[in-house]
Amino acid sequence: MLRGTKVGLRARHEDDIPILRTELFDDVVNGSRADSGPWRPITPGSDDPRLVVDDTNERNVPFSIVELEGGTLIGSATLWGIDTHNRGAHIGLGLLPAARGKGYGTDVVATLCHYGFVVRGLHRLQIETLEDNHAMLRAAERNGFVREGVLRSSAWVLGEFLDEVLLGLLAQDWKPATPSS
């Protein structure tokens, strides 16, 4: 398990899937905002491609997020689109409703940065998020990500086009968090 100051990132367990599906993806509004495609219901018990892990796909590394204190599942995180030639990847995360607003997102981003830069030896990490996702923008900027641009009207979300903010962080600009004792 990768350890941050408040959270751990671990492999996805089979019993995580129904919780993540119910609390993250069955919510039409949250699911529509988090996914690049239209929301659609997934039959319980089916292989939901958003949640089932394909260990042979080295371009995407999904994690389940747990609280370090108690080990409670609080969300899902992914280092995705890993490009080993250009040494870059994208960061994505989703917190369960009960875990939002507690500073976990900042710690998840920091832990994913450690994984990307230290464990994987990447040069650049990138985040794309909706312009009104203030929590993700704060988490990214607290970890040193710089706003590099706005993709105007690039996301179709629940009947309207929204802007996406593009943020990037280079390995040489990353300042690792001080580990807690």
Side-chain angles (χ1 to χ4, degrees), residues 2-7 68 107 110-111 114 118 174-181:
L2 294 170
R3 295 180 178 274
T5 55
K6 297 173 143 186
V7 302
L68 284 179
D107 197 31
T111 308
H114 172 82
V118 176
W174 176 57
K175 309 250 186 309
T178 307
S180 61
S181 32

Side-chain angles (χ1 to χ4, degrees), residues 76-91:
S76 174
T78 308
L79 195 69
W80 63 275
I82 299 169
D83 177 343
T84 56
H85 176 71
N86 293 303
R87 295 180 46 209
H90 304 260
I91 286 177

